[in-house]
Amino acid sequence: MSDISAKQSELAEAAPDIPARQSLFARLRKNRLSLFGGFLVLISVFMALSAPYLPLQDPNAVDTSVRLSAIGTPGHLLGTDELGRDIMSRLFWGARITLTVSLAATLIAMITGTILGLVSGYFLGWTDTVISRGVDVLMAFPYFLLALTVIAILGPGLLNGMLAIALVNVPFFARIIRGSTLSLRESDFVLAAKGMGAGHTRILFRHILLNSLSTLVVATTINLGFMITAAAALSFLGLGVQPPTSDWGTMLASGRQYLSAAPHTSYLPGLAIFLTVLGFNLLGDGLRDALDPRMRDS
Amino acid sequence: MRGYLLKRLAQTIPVLFGISVLVFSMLHLAPGDPADLLLGSESTPESVAQLRQEMGLDRPLPVQYAAWAGRIVQGDFGRSTVLNREVLPEILKRFKNTLVLTSGALVFAIVFGIGIGILAAVYHQTLFDSVAMLIALAGLSMPTFFTGIVAILIFAMGLQILPSAGMYPARGGDFFDLLRHLLLPAITLGAVSAAILARMTRSAMLEVIQQDYVRTARAKGVGEHRIVWVHALRNASITIVTVLGMQIGYLLGGSVITEAVFSWPGLGQMMVRAIQARDYPMVQGGVLLIAVSFVFINLAVDLIYAWLDPRIRYS
């Protein structure tokens, strides 16, 4: 699991507000690694979206006569788990839960963090002090410990797990957007908008937020990989998604008990998590480099 | 330096206060009556009423907080509702094991992360650099629990050269047994930190190597060995120490997962069990201990940072 603060310092290297968006994809296309990352992300998104429409077996259909079947067993291309459930089908359906939870948590963290960052960086004064100190306290916790604290309060479960990892990431977005707002609030176009009588809401959302979008896109892409790992980790510990619903994390946890007899029940969901996170990290790296003016000339 | 130390110490006070408020609030934010939660499954209406009175739950929240904080400062973390034992000795015993694991992981991350980062910068744009950075990126994307399972599959079950669980053999053991048991969990936990350190060390070194004073040193005929170890590494060490400080927090939090994979008897594993059993005093004690340790580790890192770079303490 990557560390938020390290990502933040890496992100700080990326220039926040770069025009010339028309050449972004052209620059991204030149970076083969990020293209590969995008390809990996597309595969997992395809798995999540196509699960209901493909002729897959019922992911929860138990058949103990074929339990722990090996990869390549007729009728079960990727084998079966300890209850004889088809692993391929569970991987496809698990992708839906894993990606939905991570995406929803990222959106919650992004929206909350962005609003806090905008308000804090724009109004400054006591508003900034209160928000920044709150963010400091949240960041004083090792991030996974904070997620565990939220779970301890709310109780284990899919929704609570999602809220926990969302809360852990609010400071990440709040800090980035606050920094961006601080630099934009004194820019000419914001002063001009103020002079023309634009209200605070309009300035914050039409001018400052729109000009921080590139930073937000990169931050979100990099953050998604972290969210997937965090969500899977909570499920792995039995604190996130609860049976019979299953995501890649719970699949890996239940397969762990059969490591010697059927290692594929563990390493297949593990590989799915690894490749998806790698995809988001490569794509995030590529986006950051494409938006960095120092990299543009090279 | 003393002024900076005092300023930095003063800054930790509001953060410690915030942490304590959050930990205190856990019982009150959780659904249900705090006295009920503390007594667990063996609660009776009489015992709940008695505990409510003892805890002063009818008093205002700030008064309750002050009483709770007073008990914590005196080392009274309450009793575990599941184990029916004092919380503090239990968490300290487990925390010691967690520290052994995180120290092992930190040593691995420092040796491999910084070492590979330096070599990748020195051999910039060579095959070694590309392969090292690709492995680092893969390490960064590999979830700890998956790394652990792959390590068990290869070294414990396949090659059968290292144990897969626990801290010592069942019959007990010495320091070398501990080292053998520590190896896989420490590498698993330290892998992501090593990857981050390698990437950051490489970019920090590359940035320094391009500075004018390094070019001047080269022009004056200073040897490449001295340029890397004295000029570049010393100046890049500020970035490296910062990232290292962040990684200690990651290792403390991330140890929860590694402990679960390798059945390491640490604080993280105990906390997961406590959360599942809703043993609030234990969870509160564990969260408080790790968070406060993290604050002081950050303080120590900041002081090292200021010692390395005088511009920080005079700013």
Side-chain angles (χ1 to χ4, degrees):
Chain A
M1 227 172 293
S2 61
D3 183 62
I4 299 178
S5 316
K7 283 185 297 183
Q8 219 168 12
S9 51
E10 279 191 32
L11 261 178
E13 291 173 15
D17 315 299
I18 295 121
R21 281 194 196 97
Q22 70 280 2
S23 59
L24 173 67
F25 290 102
R27 267 177 274 142
L28 203 56
R29 266 213 312 267
K30 280 186 204 159
N31 187 336
R32 280 189 199 159
L33 271 180
S34 65
L35 274 187
F36 176 62
F39 174 68
L40 291 176
V41 169
L42 275 180
I43 291 179
S44 38
V45 171
F46 168 77
M47 284 172 76
L49 292 177
S50 66
Y53 308 106
L54 291 176
L56 295 166
Q57 298 186 21
D58 178 353
N60 294 320
V62 174
D63 181 2
T64 47
S65 64
V66 289
R67 64 192 295 268
L68 301 176
S69 302
I71 294 175
T73 305
H76 300 287
L77 199 61
L78 294 179
T80 58
D81 68 4
E82 72 279 9
L83 294 174
R85 296 172 295 192
D86 185 63
I87 290 182
M88 188 160 88
S89 165
R90 290 177 70 74
L91 279 176
F92 272 75
W93 284 94
R96 281 174 89 79
I97 306 280
T98 303
L99 290 189
T100 308
V101 169
S102 320
L103 198 66
T106 306
L107 280 177
I108 295 170
M110 186 187 75
I111 293 169
T112 318
T114 301
I115 292 172
L116 288 176
L118 281 173
V119 170
S120 162
Y122 181 74
F123 290 107
L124 297 176
W126 67 267
T127 318
D128 182 36
T129 308
V130 171
I131 294 174
S132 295
R133 291 298 82 79
V135 165
D136 283 350
V137 170
L138 290 184
M139 289 191 103
F141 283 83
Y143 75 94
F144 201 70
L145 183 75
L146 188 61
L148 288 183
T149 309
V150 178
I151 298 275
I153 294 169
L154 300 174
L158 184 145
L159 192 68
N160 295 344
M162 191 174 76
L163 288 175
I165 53 172
L167 180 79
V168 171
N169 281 277
V170 167
F172 170 66
F173 286 102
R175 281 251 170 118
I176 290 170
I177 296 302
R178 180 180 176 275
S180 177
T181 309
L182 277 176
S183 65
L184 287 171
R185 72 189 294 273
E186 301 298 336
S187 55
D188 289 343
F189 63 89
V190 169
L191 295 176
K194 267 187 195 162
M196 287 168 75
H200 292 317
T201 317
R202 189 180 168 86
I203 291 174
L204 278 174
F205 291 97
R206 278 295 292 272
H207 298 285
I208 296 181
L209 181 60
L210 267 186
N211 280 283
S212 306
L213 273 185
S214 58
T215 312
L216 208 54
V217 168
V218 179
T220 308
T221 315
I222 293 180
N223 202 256
L224 260 165
F226 164 76
M227 289 293 202
I228 291 168
T229 318
L234 283 180
S235 300
F236 177 78
L237 293 173
L239 301 173
V241 173
Q242 301 292 309
T245 314
S246 91
D247 67 345
W248 292 341
T250 45
M251 286 176 74
L252 205 152
S254 57
R256 190 167 56 120
Q257 291 150 28
Y258 306 94
L259 269 185
S260 54
H264 65 286
T265 53
S266 282
Y267 71 68
L268 284 176
L271 262 179
I273 300 168
F274 166 58
L275 291 174
T276 309
V277 176
L278 181 68
F280 277 109
N281 283 347
L282 287 172
L283 194 63
D285 269 11
L287 272 172
R288 192 195 55 207
D289 291 350
L291 288 165
D292 189 341
R294 287 171 301 181
M295 305 291 286
R296 202 184 297 170
D297 301 329
S298 60
Chain B
M1 189 71 187
R2 190 194 287 173
Y4 180 77
L5 173 75
L6 289 175
K7 195 177 103 185
R8 215 29 211 89
L9 269 175
Q11 281 173 351
T12 59
I13 293 169
V15 174
L16 287 175
F17 174 70
I19 289 173
S20 67
V21 169
L22 197 63
V23 173
F24 166 75
S25 312
M26 280 174 74
L27 263 180
H28 295 270
L29 291 170
D33 184 85
D36 249 341
L37 295 172
L38 283 178
L39 287 167
S41 55
E42 289 171 11
S43 66
T44 60
E46 294 77 27
S47 60
V48 170
Q50 194 188 345
L51 187 64
R52 282 186 67 84
Q53 200 184 5
E54 277 172 28
M55 288 175 68
L57 289 176
D58 48 347
R59 286 182 291 171
L61 275 178
V63 178
Q64 289 184 45
Y65 167 77
W68 175 82
R71 285 197 301 272
I72 293 291
V73 169
Q74 290 170 39
D76 178 8
F77 281 55
R79 289 183 81 82
S80 158
T81 55
V82 175
L83 301 172
N84 196 23
R85 286 187 214 137
E86 287 285 328
V87 167
L88 190 61
E90 286 297 315
I91 55 174
L92 284 179
K93 194 170 71 187
R94 296 298 194 111
F95 191 51
K96 203 175 69 187
N97 297 343
T98 298
L99 284 182
V100 171
L101 174 60
T102 43
S103 307
L106 195 64
V107 170
F108 171 77
I110 289 173
V111 173
F112 280 85
I114 298 181
I116 290 174
I118 292 172
L119 288 175
V122 172
Y123 300 105
H124 182 44
Q125 289 181 336
T126 61
L127 184 67
F128 176 83
D129 183 22
S130 310
V131 172
M133 286 307 106
L134 205 63
I135 292 174
L137 191 66
L140 204 63
S141 311
M142 196 120 152
T144 312
F145 44 88
F146 184 47
T147 314
I149 282 175
V150 171
I152 290 176
L153 276 173
I154 297 173
F155 297 103
M157 301 178 88
L159 302 171
Q160 299 190 343
I161 48 173
L162 287 168
S164 65
M167 242 176 120
Y168 291 102
R171 56 174 164 77
D174 55 15
F175 178 70
F176 292 100
D177 284 317
L178 173 65
L179 277 186
R180 282 189 68 235
H181 281 76
L182 179 64
L183 210 57
L184 285 187
I187 293 174
T188 301
L189 179 58
V192 172
S193 299
I196 291 173
L197 270 173
R199 280 160 62 101
M200 296 302 260
T201 304
R202 175 181 172 273
S203 61
M205 291 280 288
L206 283 177
E207 210 168 310
V208 176
I209 285 171
Q210 285 160 10
Q211 298 287 326
D212 287 344
Y213 61 85
V214 172
R215 201 175 306 142
T216 311
R218 275 210 181 99
K220 283 167 73 182
V222 176
E224 203 59 29
H225 191 261
R226 193 176 158 79
I227 283 176
V228 169
W229 292 102
V230 178
H231 293 273
L233 188 59
R234 192 176 171 156
N235 286 287
S237 62
I238 294 160
T239 314
I240 297 169
V241 168
T242 313
V243 178
L244 198 60
M246 293 168 184
Q247 288 314 304
I248 297 173
Y250 161 75
L251 293 176
L252 275 175
S255 62
V256 179
I257 303 158
T258 313
E259 287 173 10
V261 174
F262 291 96
S263 308
W264 189 267
L267 188 56
Q269 212 190 14
M270 193 199 75
M271 276 177 57
V272 172
R273 281 201 208 114
I275 290 171
Q276 281 162 340
R278 297 183 84 81
D279 186 351
Y280 279 92
M282 209 61 137
V283 179
Q284 281 180 308
V287 171
L288 197 64
L289 186 62
I290 298 180
V292 170
S293 314
F294 186 41
V295 169
F296 283 104
I297 288 167
N298 274 338
L299 178 69
V301 170
D302 274 4
L303 294 179
I304 296 172
Y305 194 60
W307 176 68
L308 281 170
D309 190 353
R311 283 171 300 183
I312 292 161
R313 55 180 188 261
Y314 295 124
S315 66

